[in-house]
């Protein structure tokens, strides 16, 4: 997903790694955090700043009222699954459910962007796309311009941290399984960067026309509906292969999980279920 679309998702993903109190605090400040990030990309006048704040409040309200209970229910399903041997098919089904939740948020974000982007003047557009290109350069440095052993180390570290976050201490045997899977993961970073830049160029072409704001909004909305990074055939193939590797890894890790790890997972997910439920009730 292109950077401008993806960042609010990253904010929400990040808060899932925080403790319960921090999670509630950060989530309840998303109506401030998201506009602050956007304003770091492009300078807004008072009118645009107010429109952005109002659209963000609407977005967060929608997410609170429609998505959080689904997260909680998904975690309850995970709790049940961990008590009996997993299989790859079940894990892949859960991955699809998670992707569908993200996609519903992506649709909402695209709608907001289609409304707001045509309101930018030429100078603001230039500033915005320069900022996005800076992000692309950062992405290149962090994920593309790597030796293969650096990439594998990066995958290993990220994957290990993910399982540690949900299971606590990871055994030596589980670490070896993670290292093996990380070495098998296929690298799609360069292809994703190409797609991000295609997304950027396509939006620029729409915005620089002399059409009215209303027409540009409709054109952007149509473009966002058509465009998906993973629709690119080679990227879709890599994504599908990597999902299978992660599903197999998850089965191995969970089926090796100790009673202590399962208790850790139960306590951690109980905490998040409680928090998601309270946030959904605006508590």
């Amino acid at each position: 997903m292109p950077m401008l679309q993806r960042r609010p998702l990253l904010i929400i993903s990040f808060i899932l790694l925080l403790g319960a109190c921090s999670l509630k605090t950060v989530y309840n400040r998303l109506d401030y955090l998201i506009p602050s990030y956007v304003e770091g990309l492009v300078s807004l006048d008072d009118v645009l700043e107010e429109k952005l704040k109002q659209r963000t409040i609407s977005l967060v309200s929608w997410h609170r009222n429609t998505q959080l209970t689904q997260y909680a229910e998904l975690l309850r399903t995970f709790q049940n699954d961990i008590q009996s041997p997993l299989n790859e098919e079940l894990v892949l089904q859960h991955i699809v459910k998670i992707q569908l939740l993200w996609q519903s948020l992506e649709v909402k974000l695209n709608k907001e962007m289609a409304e707001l982007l045509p309101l930018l003047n030429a100078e603001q557009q230039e500033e915005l796309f320069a900022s996005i290109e800076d992000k692309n350069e950062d992405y290149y440095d962090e994920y593309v311009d790597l030796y293969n052993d650096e990439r594998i180390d990066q995958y290993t570290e990220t994957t290990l941290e993910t399982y540690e976050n949900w299971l606590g201490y990871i055994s030596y045997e589980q670490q070896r399984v993670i290292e093996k899977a990380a070495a098998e993961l296929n690298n799609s970073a360069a292809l994703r960067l190409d797609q991000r830049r295609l997304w950027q160029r396509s939006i620029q072409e729409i915005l620089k026309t002399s059409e009215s704001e209303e027409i540009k909004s409709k054109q952007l909305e149509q473009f966002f509906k058509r465009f998906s990074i993973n629709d690119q055939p080679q990227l879709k193939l890599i994504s599908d292969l990597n999902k299978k590797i992660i599903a197999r890894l998850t089965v191995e890790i969970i089926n090796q999980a100790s009673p202590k790890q399962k208790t850790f997972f139960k306590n951690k997910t109980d905490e998040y279920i409680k928090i998601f439920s309270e946030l959904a009730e605006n508590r």
Side-chain angles (χ1 to χ4, degrees), residues 145-155 182-183 185 187:
D145 190 23
L146 296 175
Y147 292 111
N148 192 53
D149 57 345
E150 293 176 320
R151 178 182 60 81
I152 292 173
D153 287 344
Q154 187 182 78
Y155 287 171
L185 288 170
N187 184 15

Side-chain angles (χ1 to χ4, degrees), residues 104-253:
S104 64
L105 178 56
E106 181 182 352
V107 168
K108 294 293 288 186
L109 288 168
N110 285 340
K111 187 176 187 308
E112 301 304 333
M113 283 196 296
E115 296 261 347
L116 292 172
L117 286 174
L119 303 179
L120 299 175
N121 61 36
E123 184 179 350
Q124 289 170 322
Q125 290 177 31
E126 183 177 351
E127 182 184 5
L128 172 64
F129 288 110
S131 296
I132 294 175
E133 188 52 38
D134 285 343
K135 299 294 182 185
N136 287 338
E137 292 298 331
D138 292 341
Y139 182 91
Y140 175 83
D141 292 339
E142 188 170 354
Y143 299 109
V144 180
D145 190 23
L146 296 175
Y147 292 111
N148 192 53
D149 57 345
E150 293 176 320
R151 178 182 60 81
I152 292 173
D153 287 344
Q154 187 182 78
Y155 287 171
T156 301
E157 181 180 357
T158 302
T159 307
L160 179 60
E161 287 178 354
T162 299
Y163 286 106
E164 283 179 335
N165 182 61
W166 294 104
L167 295 174
Y169 173 77
I170 298 296
S171 70
Y172 175 76
E173 291 77 14
Q174 289 170 323
Q175 289 184 42
R176 294 298 299 271
V177 172
I178 289 171
E179 291 168 1
K180 181 176 181 298
E184 296 174 2
L185 288 170
N186 301 276
N187 184 15
S188 62
L191 288 171
R192 290 188 179 279
L193 182 57
D194 288 343
Q195 288 295 95
R196 288 158 64 115
R197 286 178 168 149
L198 173 60
W199 176 88
Q200 177 182 337
R201 291 194 301 272
S202 299
I203 292 175
Q204 282 179 296
E205 289 174 3
I206 292 172
L207 293 180
K208 72 181 181 183
T209 66
S210 58
E211 300 288 357
S212 67
E213 292 174 0
E214 182 180 358
I215 291 177
K216 288 179 183 179
S217 288
K218 290 180 179 178
Q219 291 175 337
L220 286 170
E221 191 171 347
Q222 291 169 357
F223 169 72
F224 290 143
K225 286 179 179 178
R226 294 193 309 269
F227 185 88
S228 173
I229 282 182
N230 285 323
D231 284 347
Q232 202 270 1
Q234 192 173 355
L235 264 176
K236 185 179 186 307
L237 175 62
I238 291 174
S239 177
D240 289 343
L241 289 171
N242 285 345
K243 280 189 285 189
K244 290 179 180 178
I245 293 170
I246 292 299
R248 187 182 72 237
L249 171 62
T250 300
V251 168
E252 291 187 70
I253 293 293

Side-chain angles (χ1 to χ4, degrees), residues 66-124:
T66 67
Q67 304 296 288
L68 293 181
T69 54
Q70 295 184 65
Y71 297 158
E73 188 56 39
L74 198 55
L75 289 178
R76 291 189 185 96
T77 303
F78 294 165
Q79 288 180 334
N80 292 331
D81 292 342
I82 201 174
Q83 300 307 318
S84 57
L86 277 180
N87 59 69
E88 292 179 31
E89 182 180 358
L90 185 58
V91 175
L92 287 170
Q93 289 174 4
H94 289 328
I95 291 173
V96 170
K97 291 177 183 177
I98 293 169
Q99 288 178 324
L100 288 173
L101 282 172
W102 290 134
Q103 287 169 10
S104 64
L105 178 56
E106 181 182 352
V107 168
K108 294 293 288 186
L109 288 168
N110 285 340
K111 187 176 187 308
E112 301 304 333
M113 283 196 296
E115 296 261 347
L116 292 172
L117 286 174
L119 303 179
L120 299 175
N121 61 36
E123 184 179 350
Q124 289 170 322

